[in-house]
Amino acid sequence: MGKVTMMLAIALVILHLVSRCRGGVTSSYRRKLEASVDMPLNSDVFRRPPGYNAPEQVHITQGDYVGRGVIVSWVTPVEPGSDLVLYGPASNKSKYQAHARLTTYKFGNYTSGYIHHCKLKNLDYNTLYYYRVGIGNSSREFSFTTPPEVGPDVPYTFGIIGDLGQTFDSNQTLGHYASNELAKALLFVGDLSYADHYPLHDNRRWDSWGRFVERVAAYQPWILTAGNHEIDTVPEIHETTPFKPYIHRYHAPFKASGSTSPLWYSIKRASAHIIVLSSYSAYAKYTPQYEWLQNEFTKVNRSETPWLIVLVHSPWYNSNNYHYMEGETMRVIFESWFVQNKVDLVFSGHVHAYERSERISNIAYNITNKECTPIPDPSAPVYITIGDGGNIEGLANNFTEPQPNYSAYREASFGHATLEIKNRTHAYYSWHRNSDGIKEVGDSAWIYNRYWRPDE
Ligand SMILES: [Fe+2]
């Protein structure tokens, strides 16, 4: 090899290494890539509670704008049964009572059980409540703790799960999450049961999912986002109303935030203002979701809730070949608002892998200026894709190469995350991969609040 050729080869190798190292980390960690399998319907995790017409699929969510309300939901399989929820503090567990609203729905040949939703209002902050549903021997008791009063320096820890499904891997993720004692409420970024994986969207898989997650969802609120697997339309059996099973089964306090749909809404909880958006509802200019979001940003008060967090199913920044650029139209419409309003974090699902972005934005483009590449932007959110709950579709192990500069860390493993808000300036974020039956931290970062610590 001639001297010039040799030098050229060395230069090329160096150039290649530099270009590979400039972006973030693509983790090579890998435990499992075989298909994920749904747990059979006769599994223990799906077992019906004992007793005639016993309430099942018990779950709660925040029931108002500020955290003094809880919506308790459950299903009775045989007949409506009692609509009462008895609740109270440890000293008097049945001090109060509230009545539920009943709903049912049909889906093809399937008829749902009796679905109850009951709003408990004017609860005290930061208080352990017990609640009971059902009658006599079949009645069941659960508990929850209300959040502290909304305030700028209130520490609070959220869990984050997406695309959970009901496989053996889903069970591991849920188990790992349940063993995490810090997390007090779950931010769920869409794709719940994957019932639509079955012929005619066998809705019995919505029931089994409800029984599966009860061990967590009955004790702490799940702040839910709708994903594409919640759309559930089957035209051949005339099921053409989008989100029908989801909306019947899972309620949200959307009216409290001035929304006209349970698919997009917001809540305040402790020191966080959380905005939930719908990737699969209209969001272009003049649509209800667009107008609601525009107005919602004017209501955010960072002196009251320093942390501004958005949940949306389809990610805007995703360097996986799966679902690549599916969130692009929403990004183009809303991203400038996110930067102007200094959103701290955006959590998404949809892609069955994990990815964390740098703070970047891509809002300069005006058709003629060619400025259409994401650039570092201290006012931009960190985007986290966490669609790795463990559903039946398996892992998305096909990242684009090379790793783009905006991608800080990515890995095709199942897991969940936690966000530990410490005060108005600092939050500690960590992602916990499922690793051979145990959980271990795969990625972590201190998140500095965009409003109170914009320089860091
Ligand atoms: Fe999805």
PDB file of all heavy atoms in Angstrom, residues 163 191 194 227-229 280 313 323 349-352, ligand 1:
ATOM      1  N   ASP A 163     -47.342   0.888  26.121  1.00  0.00           N
ATOM      2  CA  ASP A 163     -47.492  -0.281  25.259  1.00  0.00           C
ATOM      3  C   ASP A 163     -47.364  -1.590  26.049  1.00  0.00           C
ATOM      4  O   ASP A 163     -46.597  -2.470  25.684  1.00  0.00           O
ATOM      5  CB  ASP A 163     -46.456  -0.237  24.130  1.00  0.00           C
ATOM      6  CG  ASP A 163     -46.559   1.043  23.310  1.00  0.00           C
ATOM      7  OD1 ASP A 163     -46.332   2.121  23.887  1.00  0.00           O
ATOM      8  OD2 ASP A 163     -46.876   0.972  22.113  1.00  0.00           O
ATOM      9  N   ASP A 191     -51.643   2.334  24.297  1.00  0.00           N
ATOM     10  CA  ASP A 191     -51.608   0.917  23.916  1.00  0.00           C
ATOM     11  C   ASP A 191     -51.681   0.041  25.167  1.00  0.00           C
ATOM     12  O   ASP A 191     -50.681  -0.366  25.726  1.00  0.00           O
ATOM     13  CB  ASP A 191     -50.393   0.567  23.054  1.00  0.00           C
ATOM     14  CG  ASP A 191     -50.527   1.089  21.633  1.00  0.00           C
ATOM     15  OD1 ASP A 191     -51.586   1.675  21.313  1.00  0.00           O
ATOM     16  OD2 ASP A 191     -49.586   0.905  20.844  1.00  0.00           O
ATOM     17  N   TYR A 194     -54.027  -4.555  23.846  1.00  0.00           N
ATOM     18  CA  TYR A 194     -53.775  -5.254  22.575  1.00  0.00           C
ATOM     19  C   TYR A 194     -54.851  -6.307  22.291  1.00  0.00           C
ATOM     20  O   TYR A 194     -54.589  -7.317  21.650  1.00  0.00           O
ATOM     21  CB  TYR A 194     -52.365  -5.870  22.528  1.00  0.00           C
ATOM     22  CG  TYR A 194     -51.298  -4.812  22.369  1.00  0.00           C
ATOM     23  CD1 TYR A 194     -50.922  -4.010  23.433  1.00  0.00           C
ATOM     24  CD2 TYR A 194     -50.701  -4.581  21.127  1.00  0.00           C
ATOM     25  CE1 TYR A 194     -49.966  -3.005  23.289  1.00  0.00           C
ATOM     26  CE2 TYR A 194     -49.750  -3.581  20.970  1.00  0.00           C
ATOM     27  CZ  TYR A 194     -49.397  -2.799  22.054  1.00  0.00           C
ATOM     28  OH  TYR A 194     -48.463  -1.805  21.904  1.00  0.00           O
ATOM     29  N   GLY A 227     -53.672   5.126  22.611  1.00  0.00           N
ATOM     30  CA  GLY A 227     -52.776   4.761  21.513  1.00  0.00           C
ATOM     31  C   GLY A 227     -53.553   4.204  20.335  1.00  0.00           C
ATOM     32  O   GLY A 227     -54.792   4.131  20.367  1.00  0.00           O
ATOM     33  N   ASN A 228     -52.848   3.789  19.304  1.00  0.00           N
ATOM     34  CA  ASN A 228     -53.528   3.250  18.121  1.00  0.00           C
ATOM     35  C   ASN A 228     -54.265   1.947  18.438  1.00  0.00           C
ATOM     36  O   ASN A 228     -55.267   1.628  17.803  1.00  0.00           O
ATOM     37  CB  ASN A 228     -52.547   3.049  16.964  1.00  0.00           C
ATOM     38  CG  ASN A 228     -51.333   2.247  17.353  1.00  0.00           C
ATOM     39  OD1 ASN A 228     -50.666   2.559  18.330  1.00  0.00           O
ATOM     40  ND2 ASN A 228     -51.041   1.206  16.596  1.00  0.00           N
ATOM     41  N   HIS A 229     -53.797   1.195  19.448  1.00  0.00           N
ATOM     42  CA  HIS A 229     -54.492  -0.058  19.784  1.00  0.00           C
ATOM     43  C   HIS A 229     -55.757   0.184  20.596  1.00  0.00           C
ATOM     44  O   HIS A 229     -56.447  -0.762  20.962  1.00  0.00           O
ATOM     45  CB  HIS A 229     -53.547  -1.014  20.509  1.00  0.00           C
ATOM     46  CG  HIS A 229     -52.510  -1.581  19.592  1.00  0.00           C
ATOM     47  ND1 HIS A 229     -52.753  -2.654  18.757  1.00  0.00           N
ATOM     48  CD2 HIS A 229     -51.245  -1.178  19.321  1.00  0.00           C
ATOM     49  CE1 HIS A 229     -51.667  -2.906  18.034  1.00  0.00           C
ATOM     50  NE2 HIS A 229     -50.732  -2.027  18.352  1.00  0.00           N
ATOM     51  N   TYR A 280     -54.326  10.162  17.622  1.00  0.00           N
ATOM     52  CA  TYR A 280     -55.272   9.591  16.661  1.00  0.00           C
ATOM     53  C   TYR A 280     -56.620  10.304  16.690  1.00  0.00           C
ATOM     54  O   TYR A 280     -57.656   9.720  16.391  1.00  0.00           O
ATOM     55  CB  TYR A 280     -55.401   8.081  16.904  1.00  0.00           C
ATOM     56  CG  TYR A 280     -54.031   7.462  16.911  1.00  0.00           C
ATOM     57  CD1 TYR A 280     -53.385   7.141  18.100  1.00  0.00           C
ATOM     58  CD2 TYR A 280     -53.327   7.298  15.715  1.00  0.00           C
ATOM     59  CE1 TYR A 280     -52.091   6.655  18.097  1.00  0.00           C
ATOM     60  CE2 TYR A 280     -52.037   6.814  15.705  1.00  0.00           C
ATOM     61  CZ  TYR A 280     -51.420   6.488  16.893  1.00  0.00           C
ATOM     62  OH  TYR A 280     -50.134   6.019  16.882  1.00  0.00           O
ATOM     63  N   HIS A 313     -48.996   9.469  22.382  1.00  0.00           N
ATOM     64  CA  HIS A 313     -48.603   8.099  22.035  1.00  0.00           C
ATOM     65  C   HIS A 313     -47.495   8.027  20.977  1.00  0.00           C
ATOM     66  O   HIS A 313     -46.497   7.352  21.152  1.00  0.00           O
ATOM     67  CB  HIS A 313     -49.821   7.299  21.577  1.00  0.00           C
ATOM     68  CG  HIS A 313     -49.504   5.855  21.326  1.00  0.00           C
ATOM     69  ND1 HIS A 313     -49.066   5.016  22.329  1.00  0.00           N
ATOM     70  CD2 HIS A 313     -49.523   5.115  20.192  1.00  0.00           C
ATOM     71  CE1 HIS A 313     -48.848   3.820  21.821  1.00  0.00           C
ATOM     72  NE2 HIS A 313     -49.105   3.849  20.534  1.00  0.00           N
ATOM     73  N   HIS A 323     -42.254   2.660  12.904  1.00  0.00           N
ATOM     74  CA  HIS A 323     -43.062   3.872  13.114  1.00  0.00           C
ATOM     75  C   HIS A 323     -42.268   5.156  12.861  1.00  0.00           C
ATOM     76  O   HIS A 323     -42.585   6.203  13.432  1.00  0.00           O
ATOM     77  CB  HIS A 323     -43.655   3.894  14.529  1.00  0.00           C
ATOM     78  CG  HIS A 323     -44.500   2.695  14.843  1.00  0.00           C
ATOM     79  ND1 HIS A 323     -45.508   2.264  14.017  1.00  0.00           N
ATOM     80  CD2 HIS A 323     -44.480   1.834  15.895  1.00  0.00           C
ATOM     81  CE1 HIS A 323     -46.074   1.191  14.561  1.00  0.00           C
ATOM     82  NE2 HIS A 323     -45.471   0.910  15.676  1.00  0.00           N
ATOM     83  N   GLY A 349     -45.002   6.521  23.461  1.00  0.00           N
ATOM     84  CA  GLY A 349     -44.880   5.064  23.385  1.00  0.00           C
ATOM     85  C   GLY A 349     -44.734   4.660  21.935  1.00  0.00           C
ATOM     86  O   GLY A 349     -43.907   5.183  21.204  1.00  0.00           O
ATOM     87  N   HIS A 350     -45.580   3.717  21.515  1.00  0.00           N
ATOM     88  CA  HIS A 350     -45.737   3.313  20.120  1.00  0.00           C
ATOM     89  C   HIS A 350     -44.560   2.480  19.596  1.00  0.00           C
ATOM     90  O   HIS A 350     -44.767   1.407  19.047  1.00  0.00           O
ATOM     91  CB  HIS A 350     -45.961   4.543  19.241  1.00  0.00           C
ATOM     92  CG  HIS A 350     -46.645   4.262  17.946  1.00  0.00           C
ATOM     93  ND1 HIS A 350     -47.667   3.341  17.822  1.00  0.00           N
ATOM     94  CD2 HIS A 350     -46.471   4.786  16.703  1.00  0.00           C
ATOM     95  CE1 HIS A 350     -48.085   3.323  16.565  1.00  0.00           C
ATOM     96  NE2 HIS A 350     -47.369   4.178  15.863  1.00  0.00           N
ATOM     97  N   VAL A 351     -43.348   2.975  19.746  1.00  0.00           N
ATOM     98  CA  VAL A 351     -42.172   2.215  19.309  1.00  0.00           C
ATOM     99  C   VAL A 351     -41.753   1.308  20.461  1.00  0.00           C
ATOM    100  O   VAL A 351     -41.549   1.781  21.573  1.00  0.00           O
ATOM    101  CB  VAL A 351     -41.016   3.172  18.940  1.00  0.00           C
ATOM    102  CG1 VAL A 351     -39.792   2.379  18.522  1.00  0.00           C
ATOM    103  CG2 VAL A 351     -41.461   4.118  17.839  1.00  0.00           C
ATOM    104  N   HIS A 352     -41.606   0.021  20.180  1.00  0.00           N
ATOM    105  CA  HIS A 352     -41.378  -0.944  21.253  1.00  0.00           C
ATOM    106  C   HIS A 352     -39.895  -1.055  21.587  1.00  0.00           C
ATOM    107  O   HIS A 352     -39.267  -2.113  21.448  1.00  0.00           O
ATOM    108  CB  HIS A 352     -41.977  -2.297  20.884  1.00  0.00           C
ATOM    109  CG  HIS A 352     -43.444  -2.201  20.605  1.00  0.00           C
ATOM    110  ND1 HIS A 352     -44.142  -3.122  19.889  1.00  0.00           N
ATOM    111  CD2 HIS A 352     -44.350  -1.238  20.957  1.00  0.00           C
ATOM    112  CE1 HIS A 352     -45.410  -2.755  19.800  1.00  0.00           C
ATOM    113  NE2 HIS A 352     -45.558  -1.606  20.435  1.00  0.00           N
TER     114      HIS A 352
HETATM  115 FE    FE B   1     -48.866   2.140  19.253  1.00  0.00          FE
END
